Amino acid sequence: MTTLADRTIAALRTTHDELAAFVRGLDAADLTRPSGCSEWSVAQVLSHLGSGAEIGLATLRAAQDGEEAPGQDFNHPVWDRWNAKEPKEQAEDFLAADADIVSAFESLDAGARERLQIKLGFLPMPGSVALVAGMRLNEAALHAWDVKVAFDPEATVGRDAAGVLTDLYAGPLDFLIGFIGRPDGLDPRLATTLRVETTDPANLQGLTLGETVGFSEAPEPADVTLTLPSEAWTRLLSGRLAPEHTPPSVTVTGDDVTLDDLRRVFPGF
């Protein structure tokens, strides 16, 4: 049986391979283009992914060895070293660092994927492999989009990653939605539970907007229904579904909440 951890690790591999192939085709001028992250160039996005991969790999190795996770005294020198690299070096070193962490997740056998607990400094409890690999997939897939959208305004998040992330957001990564959602961006009178119907791949969820933001059972009937591709759903939740990057298949039916309301609830990070 394929587990969520298995699917997440497989999506990490696909995401890496696709982004690596894209990055290898970039020249020096391409690397200095503004990315989908407003304050970062393409190379700086790759640097962020590279330093995160290095820290993530050290965290995974510590869990395998039964040791404490590396802390800020480890992280800050890593960030400083990556920030000091030239754009070409940031891109080349990203390729190696990202390949290393993906291979490390792939090397975990079925028992480790089920039982290994990984300590993260910002969470009160250790996380499962599905959670930690899912957090890496969230970073990798969305920042891959940030790179590609610099060259194509109609860029999308990879299908495999989007499908897995849709399940992760309503599962082990549900805490992220409460963290990144901004319910104060919505008129309190519009509090409701949306029916969210995603396609390619298909999924059905409920999203409750009120004093807090979180997942629930999909309402039936629903006052508001949001229909969109899974990849657009991942971008909406991360503040990457601006009007100029919204496919025509995204629809909101019902009079209570608009797509612009949802963009305010999920402004991005």
Side-chain angles (χ1 to χ4, degrees), residues 190-241:
L190 300 181
T192 188
T193 297
L194 281 71
R195 180 182 176 90
V196 181
E197 300 177 355
T198 54
T199 60
D200 195 31
N203 206 314
L204 179 63
Q205 298 173 339
L207 181 70
T208 298
L209 306 176
E211 293 185 1
T212 59
V213 179
F215 287 101
S216 63
E217 292 294 323
E220 181 61 52
D223 293 330
V224 181
T225 298
L226 171 65
T227 304
L228 72 176
S230 293
E231 75 82 21
W233 175 232
T234 67
R235 291 193 289 115
L236 172 64
L237 294 177
S238 62
R240 289 169 168 82
L241 199 67

Short mmCIF file of all heavy atoms in Angstrom, two decimals, residues 190-241:
data_model
loop_
_atom_site.label_atom_id
_atom_site.label_comp_id
_atom_site.label_asym_id
_atom_site.label_seq_id
_atom_site.Cartn_x
_atom_site.Cartn_y
_atom_site.Cartn_z
N LEU A 190 -19.25 37.64 6.88
CA LEU A 190 -19.15 36.68 5.78
C LEU A 190 -18.63 35.33 6.25
O LEU A 190 -18.33 34.47 5.43
CB LEU A 190 -18.24 37.24 4.68
CG LEU A 190 -18.68 38.56 4.04
CD1 LEU A 190 -17.69 38.97 2.96
CD2 LEU A 190 -20.09 38.46 3.47
N ALA A 191 -18.51 35.12 7.57
CA ALA A 191 -18.01 33.85 8.08
C ALA A 191 -18.87 32.70 7.54
O ALA A 191 -20.10 32.75 7.59
CB ALA A 191 -18.03 33.85 9.61
N THR A 192 -18.22 31.67 7.05
CA THR A 192 -18.94 30.56 6.43
C THR A 192 -18.00 29.38 6.26
O THR A 192 -16.80 29.48 6.54
CB THR A 192 -19.50 30.98 5.05
OG1 THR A 192 -20.36 29.98 4.54
CG2 THR A 192 -18.38 31.24 4.05
N THR A 193 -18.54 28.26 5.81
CA THR A 193 -17.73 27.11 5.43
C THR A 193 -17.89 26.89 3.93
O THR A 193 -18.99 26.65 3.44
CB THR A 193 -18.15 25.84 6.19
OG1 THR A 193 -17.92 26.04 7.59
CG2 THR A 193 -17.32 24.65 5.72
N LEU A 194 -16.79 27.00 3.24
CA LEU A 194 -16.80 26.83 1.79
C LEU A 194 -16.74 25.34 1.43
O LEU A 194 -16.11 24.54 2.13
CB LEU A 194 -15.59 27.51 1.14
CG LEU A 194 -15.60 29.02 0.91
CD1 LEU A 194 -15.50 29.77 2.22
CD2 LEU A 194 -14.46 29.39 -0.02
N ARG A 195 -17.36 25.01 0.34
CA ARG A 195 -17.16 23.71 -0.28
C ARG A 195 -16.07 23.90 -1.33
O ARG A 195 -16.22 24.71 -2.25
CB ARG A 195 -18.46 23.24 -0.93
CG ARG A 195 -18.39 21.88 -1.63
CD ARG A 195 -19.74 21.55 -2.27
NE ARG A 195 -19.70 20.31 -3.03
CZ ARG A 195 -19.98 19.12 -2.52
NH1 ARG A 195 -20.34 19.03 -1.24
NH2 ARG A 195 -19.93 18.05 -3.28
N VAL A 196 -14.96 23.19 -1.19
CA VAL A 196 -13.82 23.34 -2.09
C VAL A 196 -13.72 22.09 -2.94
O VAL A 196 -13.45 20.99 -2.44
CB VAL A 196 -12.52 23.56 -1.31
CG1 VAL A 196 -11.35 23.74 -2.27
CG2 VAL A 196 -12.64 24.76 -0.37
N GLU A 197 -13.95 22.25 -4.23
CA GLU A 197 -13.89 21.15 -5.18
C GLU A 197 -12.67 21.36 -6.06
O GLU A 197 -12.64 22.28 -6.88
CB GLU A 197 -15.16 21.09 -6.03
CG GLU A 197 -16.42 20.88 -5.21
CD GLU A 197 -17.69 20.90 -6.06
OE1 GLU A 197 -17.59 21.17 -7.29
OE2 GLU A 197 -18.78 20.67 -5.51
N THR A 198 -11.65 20.52 -5.86
CA THR A 198 -10.44 20.65 -6.67
C THR A 198 -10.45 19.59 -7.77
O THR A 198 -11.01 18.51 -7.63
CB THR A 198 -9.18 20.51 -5.81
OG1 THR A 198 -9.23 19.28 -5.07
CG2 THR A 198 -9.06 21.66 -4.84
N THR A 199 -9.79 19.93 -8.86
CA THR A 199 -9.70 19.02 -10.00
C THR A 199 -8.23 18.77 -10.34
O THR A 199 -7.34 19.54 -9.95
CB THR A 199 -10.39 19.63 -11.23
OG1 THR A 199 -9.75 20.89 -11.58
CG2 THR A 199 -11.85 19.93 -10.95
N ASP A 200 -7.98 17.69 -11.05
CA ASP A 200 -6.66 17.38 -11.61
C ASP A 200 -5.54 17.37 -10.56
O ASP A 200 -4.61 18.18 -10.66
CB ASP A 200 -6.34 18.37 -12.74
CG ASP A 200 -5.17 17.89 -13.58
OD1 ASP A 200 -5.01 16.66 -13.70
OD2 ASP A 200 -4.42 18.73 -14.11
N PRO A 201 -5.60 16.46 -9.57
CA PRO A 201 -6.60 15.42 -9.35
C PRO A 201 -7.80 15.93 -8.54
O PRO A 201 -7.71 16.96 -7.87
CB PRO A 201 -5.83 14.36 -8.57
CG PRO A 201 -4.82 15.15 -7.79
CD PRO A 201 -4.42 16.28 -8.70
N ALA A 202 -8.90 15.18 -8.59
CA ALA A 202 -10.13 15.58 -7.92
C ALA A 202 -10.03 15.37 -6.41
O ALA A 202 -9.44 14.40 -5.93
CB ALA A 202 -11.30 14.79 -8.48
N ASN A 203 -10.62 16.31 -5.67
CA ASN A 203 -10.68 16.20 -4.22
C ASN A 203 -11.84 17.06 -3.74
O ASN A 203 -12.29 17.95 -4.47
CB ASN A 203 -9.36 16.66 -3.57
CG ASN A 203 -9.11 16.02 -2.22
OD1 ASN A 203 -10.00 15.96 -1.38
ND2 ASN A 203 -7.90 15.52 -2.02
N LEU A 204 -12.29 16.81 -2.53
CA LEU A 204 -13.41 17.56 -1.96
C LEU A 204 -13.10 17.85 -0.50
O LEU A 204 -12.80 16.93 0.27
CB LEU A 204 -14.71 16.76 -2.08
CG LEU A 204 -15.97 17.40 -1.49
CD1 LEU A 204 -16.31 18.69 -2.22
CD2 LEU A 204 -17.14 16.42 -1.57
N GLN A 205 -13.16 19.13 -0.11
CA GLN A 205 -12.87 19.54 1.25
C GLN A 205 -13.80 20.68 1.65
O GLN A 205 -14.43 21.31 0.82
CB GLN A 205 -11.41 20.03 1.36
CG GLN A 205 -10.37 18.97 1.05
CD GLN A 205 -8.96 19.53 1.01
OE1 GLN A 205 -8.76 20.73 0.85
NE2 GLN A 205 -7.98 18.66 1.16
N GLY A 206 -13.84 20.92 2.94
CA GLY A 206 -14.51 22.10 3.46
C GLY A 206 -13.48 23.04 4.07
O GLY A 206 -12.50 22.58 4.67
N LEU A 207 -13.66 24.32 3.89
CA LEU A 207 -12.76 25.33 4.47
C LEU A 207 -13.61 26.30 5.28
O LEU A 207 -14.46 27.00 4.72
CB LEU A 207 -12.00 26.08 3.38
CG LEU A 207 -11.02 27.15 3.88
CD1 LEU A 207 -9.82 26.49 4.56
CD2 LEU A 207 -10.54 28.04 2.74
N THR A 208 -13.39 26.31 6.58
CA THR A 208 -14.16 27.17 7.46
C THR A 208 -13.46 28.50 7.67
O THR A 208 -12.28 28.55 8.04
CB THR A 208 -14.39 26.48 8.82
OG1 THR A 208 -15.14 25.28 8.62
CG2 THR A 208 -15.16 27.39 9.76
N LEU A 209 -14.18 29.58 7.41
CA LEU A 209 -13.68 30.95 7.60
C LEU A 209 -14.50 31.59 8.70
O LEU A 209 -15.71 31.74 8.59
CB LEU A 209 -13.81 31.75 6.31
CG LEU A 209 -13.18 31.16 5.04
CD1 LEU A 209 -13.48 32.05 3.84
CD2 LEU A 209 -11.68 31.01 5.23
N GLY A 210 -13.85 31.96 9.76
CA GLY A 210 -14.53 32.60 10.89
C GLY A 210 -13.51 33.31 11.74
O GLY A 210 -12.63 34.01 11.22
N GLU A 211 -13.55 33.10 13.05
CA GLU A 211 -12.53 33.67 13.91
C GLU A 211 -11.17 33.04 13.64
O GLU A 211 -10.13 33.65 13.87
CB GLU A 211 -12.92 33.49 15.38
CG GLU A 211 -14.15 34.31 15.79
CD GLU A 211 -14.44 34.20 17.26
OE1 GLU A 211 -13.68 33.50 17.98
OE2 GLU A 211 -15.42 34.81 17.71
N THR A 212 -11.21 31.81 13.16
CA THR A 212 -10.00 31.12 12.73
C THR A 212 -10.26 30.52 11.35
O THR A 212 -11.39 30.53 10.86
CB THR A 212 -9.60 30.00 13.71
OG1 THR A 212 -10.69 29.07 13.80
CG2 THR A 212 -9.31 30.57 15.09
N VAL A 213 -9.22 30.00 10.73
CA VAL A 213 -9.32 29.35 9.44
C VAL A 213 -8.91 27.89 9.60
O VAL A 213 -7.88 27.60 10.23
CB VAL A 213 -8.40 30.03 8.40
CG1 VAL A 213 -8.50 29.34 7.04
CG2 VAL A 213 -8.76 31.50 8.26
N GLY A 214 -9.69 26.98 9.06
CA GLY A 214 -9.34 25.57 9.17
C GLY A 214 -10.18 24.70 8.26
O GLY A 214 -11.14 25.17 7.64
N PHE A 215 -9.81 23.44 8.19
CA PHE A 215 -10.52 22.50 7.33
C PHE A 215 -11.65 21.82 8.08
O PHE A 215 -11.62 21.70 9.31
CB PHE A 215 -9.55 21.45 6.78
CG PHE A 215 -8.63 21.99 5.73
CD1 PHE A 215 -7.32 22.31 6.04
CD2 PHE A 215 -9.08 22.18 4.44
CE1 PHE A 215 -6.46 22.81 5.08
CE2 PHE A 215 -8.24 22.69 3.46
CZ PHE A 215 -6.93 23.01 3.78
N SER A 216 -12.65 21.37 7.33
CA SER A 216 -13.80 20.69 7.90
C SER A 216 -14.38 19.76 6.83
O SER A 216 -13.85 19.68 5.72
CB SER A 216 -14.85 21.70 8.35
OG SER A 216 -15.33 22.45 7.23
N GLU A 217 -15.45 19.09 7.17
CA GLU A 217 -16.18 18.33 6.16
C GLU A 217 -16.79 19.29 5.14
O GLU A 217 -17.22 20.39 5.49
CB GLU A 217 -17.29 17.50 6.82
CG GLU A 217 -16.78 16.37 7.70
CD GLU A 217 -16.04 15.31 6.91
OE1 GLU A 217 -16.47 15.01 5.77
OE2 GLU A 217 -15.04 14.78 7.43
N ALA A 218 -16.83 18.88 3.90
CA ALA A 218 -17.43 19.72 2.86
C ALA A 218 -18.92 19.84 3.11
O ALA A 218 -19.61 18.82 3.26
CB ALA A 218 -17.16 19.13 1.49
N PRO A 219 -19.46 21.05 3.20
CA PRO A 219 -20.90 21.21 3.45
C PRO A 219 -21.75 20.79 2.26
O PRO A 219 -21.34 20.92 1.11
CB PRO A 219 -21.03 22.72 3.71
CG PRO A 219 -19.89 23.34 2.97
CD PRO A 219 -18.77 22.33 3.04
N GLU A 220 -22.92 20.29 2.57
CA GLU A 220 -23.86 19.88 1.53
C GLU A 220 -25.28 20.12 2.05
O GLU A 220 -25.73 19.44 2.97
CB GLU A 220 -23.67 18.41 1.19
CG GLU A 220 -24.59 17.90 0.08
CD GLU A 220 -24.39 18.61 -1.23
OE1 GLU A 220 -23.24 18.66 -1.67
OE2 GLU A 220 -25.38 19.11 -1.79
N PRO A 221 -26.00 21.12 1.57
CA PRO A 221 -25.57 22.04 0.49
C PRO A 221 -24.61 23.10 1.03
O PRO A 221 -24.42 23.21 2.24
CB PRO A 221 -26.89 22.67 0.03
CG PRO A 221 -27.72 22.69 1.28
CD PRO A 221 -27.37 21.41 2.03
N ALA A 222 -24.02 23.86 0.12
CA ALA A 222 -23.06 24.89 0.51
C ALA A 222 -23.52 26.26 0.05
O ALA A 222 -24.07 26.39 -1.04
CB ALA A 222 -21.69 24.57 -0.10
N ASP A 223 -23.29 27.27 0.90
CA ASP A 223 -23.61 28.64 0.50
C ASP A 223 -22.60 29.15 -0.53
O ASP A 223 -22.93 29.98 -1.39
CB ASP A 223 -23.61 29.56 1.72
CG ASP A 223 -24.74 29.25 2.68
OD1 ASP A 223 -25.80 28.79 2.21
OD2 ASP A 223 -24.56 29.45 3.90
N VAL A 224 -21.36 28.67 -0.41
CA VAL A 224 -20.29 29.10 -1.32
C VAL A 224 -19.51 27.87 -1.77
O VAL A 224 -19.12 27.04 -0.94
CB VAL A 224 -19.34 30.10 -0.65
CG1 VAL A 224 -18.26 30.55 -1.64
CG2 VAL A 224 -20.08 31.30 -0.10
N THR A 225 -19.29 27.75 -3.06
CA THR A 225 -18.48 26.65 -3.60
C THR A 225 -17.34 27.23 -4.41
O THR A 225 -17.54 28.05 -5.31
CB THR A 225 -19.32 25.72 -4.48
OG1 THR A 225 -20.35 25.12 -3.69
CG2 THR A 225 -18.46 24.62 -5.08
N LEU A 226 -16.14 26.80 -4.08
CA LEU A 226 -14.93 27.18 -4.81
C LEU A 226 -14.50 25.98 -5.63
O LEU A 226 -14.29 24.90 -5.09
CB LEU A 226 -13.83 27.59 -3.84
CG LEU A 226 -12.43 27.82 -4.40
CD1 LEU A 226 -12.41 29.02 -5.35
CD2 LEU A 226 -11.42 28.02 -3.27
N THR A 227 -14.38 26.18 -6.94
CA THR A 227 -13.94 25.11 -7.85
C THR A 227 -12.68 25.57 -8.56
O THR A 227 -12.66 26.67 -9.15
CB THR A 227 -15.03 24.78 -8.88
OG1 THR A 227 -16.25 24.44 -8.19
CG2 THR A 227 -14.62 23.61 -9.75
N LEU A 228 -11.66 24.75 -8.51
CA LEU A 228 -10.38 25.14 -9.13
C LEU A 228 -9.45 23.94 -9.24
O LEU A 228 -9.62 22.95 -8.53
CB LEU A 228 -9.72 26.26 -8.33
CG LEU A 228 -9.10 25.97 -6.97
CD1 LEU A 228 -8.42 27.23 -6.43
CD2 LEU A 228 -10.03 25.41 -5.92
N PRO A 229 -8.45 24.02 -10.13
CA PRO A 229 -7.45 22.96 -10.20
C PRO A 229 -6.68 22.85 -8.89
O PRO A 229 -6.48 23.86 -8.19
CB PRO A 229 -6.53 23.40 -11.34
CG PRO A 229 -7.34 24.39 -12.14
CD PRO A 229 -8.24 25.06 -11.15
N SER A 230 -6.22 21.66 -8.56
CA SER A 230 -5.46 21.48 -7.32
C SER A 230 -4.24 22.39 -7.26
O SER A 230 -3.90 22.93 -6.20
CB SER A 230 -5.03 20.02 -7.18
OG SER A 230 -6.13 19.18 -7.00
N GLU A 231 -3.59 22.60 -8.39
CA GLU A 231 -2.40 23.45 -8.37
C GLU A 231 -2.76 24.89 -8.05
O GLU A 231 -2.00 25.59 -7.36
CB GLU A 231 -1.62 23.32 -9.68
CG GLU A 231 -2.20 24.02 -10.89
CD GLU A 231 -1.84 25.49 -10.94
OE1 GLU A 231 -0.88 25.91 -10.30
OE2 GLU A 231 -2.57 26.23 -11.63
N ALA A 232 -3.91 25.36 -8.53
CA ALA A 232 -4.34 26.72 -8.21
C ALA A 232 -4.74 26.83 -6.74
O ALA A 232 -4.56 27.87 -6.10
CB ALA A 232 -5.50 27.12 -9.11
N TRP A 233 -5.28 25.75 -6.17
CA TRP A 233 -5.63 25.72 -4.75
C TRP A 233 -4.36 25.89 -3.90
O TRP A 233 -4.35 26.69 -2.95
CB TRP A 233 -6.31 24.39 -4.45
CG TRP A 233 -6.66 24.06 -3.04
CD1 TRP A 233 -6.34 22.92 -2.37
CD2 TRP A 233 -7.45 24.83 -2.12
NE1 TRP A 233 -6.85 22.93 -1.10
CE2 TRP A 233 -7.54 24.09 -0.92
CE3 TRP A 233 -8.07 26.08 -2.19
CZ2 TRP A 233 -8.24 24.56 0.20
CZ3 TRP A 233 -8.77 26.55 -1.08
CH2 TRP A 233 -8.85 25.79 0.10
N THR A 234 -3.28 25.19 -4.24
CA THR A 234 -2.04 25.35 -3.48
C THR A 234 -1.52 26.78 -3.60
O THR A 234 -0.99 27.34 -2.64
CB THR A 234 -0.96 24.36 -3.96
OG1 THR A 234 -0.55 24.68 -5.28
CG2 THR A 234 -1.45 22.94 -3.91
N ARG A 235 -1.69 27.38 -4.74
CA ARG A 235 -1.21 28.75 -4.92
C ARG A 235 -2.11 29.77 -4.22
O ARG A 235 -1.61 30.77 -3.68
CB ARG A 235 -1.07 29.08 -6.40
CG ARG A 235 0.05 28.31 -7.07
CD ARG A 235 0.42 28.82 -8.44
NE ARG A 235 -0.57 28.55 -9.46
CZ ARG A 235 -1.27 29.48 -10.10
NH1 ARG A 235 -1.10 30.77 -9.81
NH2 ARG A 235 -2.14 29.14 -11.04
N LEU A 236 -3.41 29.52 -4.19
CA LEU A 236 -4.30 30.42 -3.45
C LEU A 236 -3.92 30.43 -1.97
O LEU A 236 -3.79 31.51 -1.36
CB LEU A 236 -5.75 29.97 -3.61
CG LEU A 236 -6.78 30.70 -2.73
CD1 LEU A 236 -6.84 32.19 -3.10
CD2 LEU A 236 -8.17 30.06 -2.87
N LEU A 237 -3.72 29.26 -1.39
CA LEU A 237 -3.41 29.18 0.04
C LEU A 237 -2.08 29.84 0.38
O LEU A 237 -1.86 30.26 1.52
CB LEU A 237 -3.39 27.73 0.49
CG LEU A 237 -4.74 26.99 0.42
CD1 LEU A 237 -4.57 25.53 0.81
CD2 LEU A 237 -5.79 27.66 1.31
N SER A 238 -1.19 29.94 -0.60
CA SER A 238 0.14 30.53 -0.34
C SER A 238 0.28 31.94 -0.91
O SER A 238 1.39 32.46 -1.01
CB SER A 238 1.23 29.63 -0.95
OG SER A 238 1.07 29.54 -2.35
N GLY A 239 -0.84 32.56 -1.28
CA GLY A 239 -0.78 33.94 -1.77
C GLY A 239 -0.20 34.08 -3.15
O GLY A 239 0.32 35.14 -3.51
N ARG A 240 -0.33 33.04 -3.98
CA ARG A 240 0.26 33.07 -5.32
C ARG A 240 -0.80 32.98 -6.43
O ARG A 240 -0.49 32.56 -7.53
CB ARG A 240 1.26 31.92 -5.46
CG ARG A 240 2.54 32.14 -4.65
CD ARG A 240 3.37 30.87 -4.60
NE ARG A 240 4.72 31.10 -4.09
CZ ARG A 240 5.03 31.18 -2.80
NH1 ARG A 240 4.09 31.07 -1.87
NH2 ARG A 240 6.29 31.37 -2.42
N LEU A 241 -2.03 33.40 -6.12
CA LEU A 241 -3.09 33.34 -7.13
C LEU A 241 -3.60 34.75 -7.43
O LEU A 241 -4.79 35.04 -7.34
CB LEU A 241 -4.24 32.44 -6.65
CG LEU A 241 -5.18 31.94 -7.75
CD1 LEU A 241 -4.45 30.98 -8.69
CD2 LEU A 241 -6.41 31.26 -7.16
#
